[in-house]
Amino acid sequence: MAAHSAKIPHKVGPHHLSQQSLLKDGSTSDGWVESLTSLTESVQATRLLDEEAAAQAADSRSHGHGVPAATVADGNAFEASAQAAIDALRDEVTIHSEQLLCIGESHGWGPSNLTDDQLAALLSRIRQEMDKNKAEVTVLRQVPAQQSAKKSSGGAMADILVRKRSSDCPRLEVRVAVIGNVDSGKSTLVGVLTRGLLDDGRGLARSKVFKHGHESATGRTSSIGQHNLCLDAKGGVLNDSLFRTHSCADYIARSSKVVTLVDLAGHERYFKTTAYGLTGHLPDYACLIIGANAGIVGMCKEHLGVALALKVPVFFVVTKVDICPGHVLQHSLATLSSILRKPGIKKKPYMVRSKEDVLTCARHIHTDSLAPVFLTSSVTGDGLELVKLFFNLLPQRHKWADRVDEAVEFIIDETFQVAGVGVVVAGTVKRGTLVQGSTLLLGPHAGDASFKLTGIKSIAYKRLPVAKVVAGQTAALALKKVKRSSLRKGMVLVDSSLHPKASWEFDADIAILTHSTTIAPKYQAVIHCEIVRQAARVVAMDRERLRSGDRACVRFRFLQRPEYLAIGSRFVFREGRTKGIGVVMGV
């Protein structure tokens, strides 16, 4: 662009023609949730939120379903359908390491309308075939034909989990961001889940997961903490009372799946840290903790709004039900339901009360309209088994297996200086397979925005030394000949074949959720895009002015240093009461 005043050709469509205010009464909303709930179908900003819903729904319908079901007419049809389904399952487990299947239903996996004997024979064959494939088969629920007939299901059925053993594949990793208002019980729930103990009501569980002394003194999280829930091939929880974050390598070595609980701060003072955790740590899901006695208050709404704006699927855990009066709990649930059903969010609360409900939610968590709600107590243990089962069954949201063979891209969210090791960076493998001893480009450096070659001395996955890590996993890497002072959060390690470049400017398709006046060129806001967190200025846009509810194509310019951005990344931006969302269209 020769001059910043030039207008950008915008070919997205006539979505930016709306001049309507978001709120019917003309008032200004301050919160993220209020901004979203006040959206209507006529407001153009709504479309930026809804564009991915259809694709996510289609993906969820196809997830974990092997081959289409075939009704059993005779023995030959049963045999042919069963063999085809098992062959497809073998391929799926080899690629994705895990599958959740419903056997016997008309829209499930393999042949349907089964007798009890046919179901038993089919389960036996699956176990034999998966054992050859070095995978475990766990029956989560089994319904006899007679009981199923009463529910008009048409035959015997079973829900099974197939998962590769830990020594035979890279470990599955699912990241869950734990968000919610201050004092809602986030760190307490994380401590109870990962330490194999119940809380005493006086902060015992949360004291096990705090990182800093001032957090223990105040009882409030101020930093981003990552805690691991280790699961074996049969779905059992390996964490016990001896589990410690600094000595968890033995648990990781025995686990087939790791659920990384990203414990985020709830206090308003640390909102920028929480926003960084929701973007930079690439969570698959967000777990919103709601104190039953307090309800939907304070930063609970802000965290929910950011997660929804980033298109991160959210489920809800209502804590402290043991000390909450019944009418207060009902009011909190009614408030949550009313918020979720509003046009800008359009989610259906689903109260989880049984194992069958957990299976339903785990199978359809990708759908944009489902909002599972759990009722728990960290002191009495009520509802915790259902939460653990749900974590066990949660699938990876991104198709990481499709990115394993691509060129390596590793984003850095932490840097360390380790005695005897040297400079260590921690982060997430976005694509490719990162091997010990490989040489990658590190950048962009703050001074000249360059990328410089560096070598990988060693790799640790959750403190366990490994030879390689693949797309979708987090890792800590020891680097060769790099000074700690030259590193920062927001840098990347990429393969030289990608020819990476840092960008001062980028084009984005944005939607304004809330703004008190109008937005024009030279407007400044803080951008949160994956690991990038920096102030940027609007240098050009395809309209003269932007108001609440408008959508447009805008060019931003970073104020401090150039950044490495990926086209298609979603981001949020904020400035005072102004809140907006966007997608990177070009750099």
Side-chain angles (χ1 to χ4, degrees):
M1 180 178 291
H4 289 163
S5 60
K7 292 186 178 181
I8 308 170
H10 186 33
K11 300 180 180 180
V12 178
H15 57 251
H16 55 274
L17 302 179
S18 171
Q19 299 291 337
Q20 300 294 324
S21 175
L22 276 178
L23 302 182
K24 295 180 179 180
D25 60 1
S27 62
T28 301
S29 174
D30 295 343
W32 282 93
V33 163
E34 285 81 356
S35 303
L36 292 169
T37 55
S38 59
L39 293 176
T40 62
E41 297 296 340
S42 61
V43 174
Q44 301 299 328
T46 309
R47 299 182 187 177
L48 193 59
L49 288 168
D50 292 342
E51 282 177 349
E52 296 178 1
Q56 289 182 350
D59 178 69
S60 67
R61 286 193 295 270
S62 64
H63 179 81
H65 280 308
V67 298
T71 302
V72 177
D74 52 46
N76 292 333
F78 171 76
E79 178 63 29
S81 177
Q83 189 58 48
I86 290 174
D87 291 342
L89 175 60
R90 187 187 304 113
D91 295 338
E92 288 292 319
V93 173
T94 300
I95 296 173
H96 300 290
S97 301
E98 178 184 78
Q99 287 289 293
L100 177 62
L101 307 175
C102 182
I103 302 175
E105 283 195 346
S106 56
H107 298 289
W109 175 92
S112 62
N113 197 24
L114 302 174
T115 65
D116 291 337
D117 292 340
Q118 287 173 328
L119 177 60
L122 185 56
L123 289 174
S124 178
R125 287 184 57 181
I126 293 174
R127 286 192 178 95
Q128 292 176 6
E129 292 294 330
M130 291 302 103
D131 186 62
K132 296 177 184 177
N133 205 32
K134 299 180 180 180
E136 294 285 350
V137 177
T138 305
V139 178
L140 302 171
R141 181 176 62 117
Q142 188 168 345
V143 181
Q146 184 177 2
Q147 183 178 346
S148 183
K150 296 179 181 178
K151 298 181 179 180
S152 303
S153 298
M157 57 166 290
D159 290 285
I160 68 170
L161 173 68
V162 183
R163 181 179 294 163
K164 295 275 283 186
R165 301 186 185 110
S166 59
S167 59
D168 300 311
C169 65
R171 290 160 187 82
L172 283 169
E173 183 176 351
V174 175
R175 285 180 292 279
V176 179
V178 183
I179 55 179
N181 193 45
V182 64
D183 299 332
S184 60
K186 299 183 297 299
S187 298
T188 297
L189 180 65
V190 170
V192 168
L193 292 175
T194 60
R195 296 304 192 270
L197 51 80
L198 292 176
D199 190 43
D200 61 353
R202 297 178 178 85
L204 173 65
R206 71 188 183 193
S207 67
K208 305 290 184 182
V209 299
F210 281 148
K211 293 172 62 177
H212 304 294
H214 68 269
E215 293 179 329
S216 299
T218 62
R220 293 177 176 175
T221 303
S222 63
S223 59
I224 299 175
Q226 295 193 41
H227 307 279
N228 305 311
L229 184 64
C230 303
L231 304 164
D232 61 21
K234 295 183 178 180
V237 177
L238 299 176
N239 299 59
D240 54 28
S241 58
L242 300 178
F243 181 90
R244 297 293 184 273
T245 300
H246 63 273
S247 59
C248 66
D250 176 60
Y251 295 85
I252 296 296
R254 293 183 285 125
S255 62
S256 294
K257 181 176 182 177
V258 179
V259 179
T260 303
L261 301 176
V262 184
D263 187 17
L264 300 176
H267 198 281
E268 183 179 4
R269 180 185 305 172
Y270 311 116
F271 177 69
K272 67 177 183 179
T273 302
T274 301
Y276 180 77
L278 280 169
T279 56
H281 288 259
L282 306 182
D284 292 282
Y285 306 96
C287 173
L288 184 69
I289 308 298
I290 302 171
N293 50 353
I296 315 294
V297 295
M299 297 305 292
C300 179
K301 293 182 178 181
E302 299 297 281
H303 294 176
L304 173 60
V306 174
L308 293 174
L310 292 168
K311 304 298 289 185
V312 178
V314 184
F315 60 93
F316 302 84
V317 176
V318 181
T319 60
K320 306 181 184 180
V321 296
D322 56 318
I323 61 172
C324 181
H327 69 282
V328 176
L329 175 61
Q330 292 301 318
H331 180 266
S332 298
L333 294 176
T335 303
L336 174 63
S337 179
S338 65
I339 290 175
L340 294 178
R341 293 179 184 275
K342 290 187 177 181
I345 298 178
K346 294 185 296 186
K347 288 184 179 292
K348 180 181 179 181
Y350 190 101
M351 195 63 62
V352 180
R353 302 185 184 277
S354 65
K355 181 185 289 187
E356 184 176 352
D357 294 336
V358 174
L359 290 167
T360 300
C361 292
R363 190 172 286 113
H364 299 96
I365 186 63
H366 286 90
T367 58
D368 202 46
S369 60
L370 182 65
V373 181
F374 297 82
L375 301 180
T376 66
S377 168
S378 295
V379 174
T380 64
D382 292 344
L384 292 181
E385 289 303 318
L386 295 180
V387 174
K388 290 180 181 178
L389 178 61
F390 185 64
F391 281 137
N392 176 38
L393 301 181
L394 274 178
Q396 289 183 323
R397 179 164 64 101
H398 304 286
K399 295 183 179 179
W400 296 113
D402 298 338
R403 307 181 188 179
V404 170
D405 297 326
E406 298 179 6
V408 174
E409 182 179 343
F410 180 88
I411 60 175
I412 298 172
D413 55 48
E414 290 287 350
T415 64
F416 308 95
Q417 184 77 38
V418 180
V421 178
V423 174
V424 175
V425 295
T428 308
V429 185
K430 280 191 67 178
R431 54 179 52 86
T433 300
L434 206 160
V435 182
Q436 181 179 343
S438 59
T439 301
L440 299 171
L441 290 172
L442 172 67
H445 290 276
D448 55 2
S450 63
F451 288 79
K452 300 176 182 178
L453 287 173
T454 185
I456 309 300
K457 289 195 296 186
S458 61
I459 303 174
Y461 175 72
K462 309 288 188 183
R463 301 179 185 268
L464 175 69
V466 294
K468 68 176 183 179
V469 285
V470 300
Q473 291 186 322
T474 53
L477 314 176
L479 304 182
K480 296 179 182 178
K481 300 179 181 179
V482 175
K483 293 182 179 180
R484 171 86 186 278
S485 58
S486 66
L487 296 176
R488 61 177 176 83
K489 298 178 182 179
M491 298 179 76
V492 294
L493 284 163
V494 296
D495 192 274
S496 57
S497 63
L498 293 176
H499 305 292
K501 293 182 179 180
S503 302
W504 276 102
E505 298 182 355
F506 68 97
D507 294 337
D509 186 9
I510 68 167
I512 309 299
L513 301 181
T514 301
H515 187 61
S516 56
T517 57
T518 60
I519 291 177
K522 298 185 179 180
Y523 170 79
Q524 296 182 11
V526 177
I527 304 290
H528 292 270
C529 182
E530 293 185 352
I531 50 171
V532 173
R533 182 180 65 188
Q534 190 185 157
R537 179 175 64 247
V538 174
V539 295
M541 55 189 189
D542 63 351
R543 305 178 59 181
E544 292 185 0
R545 296 288 186 271
L546 290 176
R547 298 179 176 84
S548 295
D550 285 350
R551 185 177 171 188
C553 189
V554 172
R555 177 163 294 181
F556 285 100
R557 180 176 177 83
F558 289 117
L559 297 183
Q560 297 175 337
R561 56 184 174 268
E563 300 282 6
Y564 180 80
L565 294 176
I567 295 176
S569 301
R570 295 187 73 89
F571 66 90
V572 296
F573 59 91
R574 60 185 180 86
E575 178 269 324
R577 295 180 177 180
T578 302
K579 295 169 178 63
I581 59 176
V583 179
V584 177
M585 305 299 290
V587 295

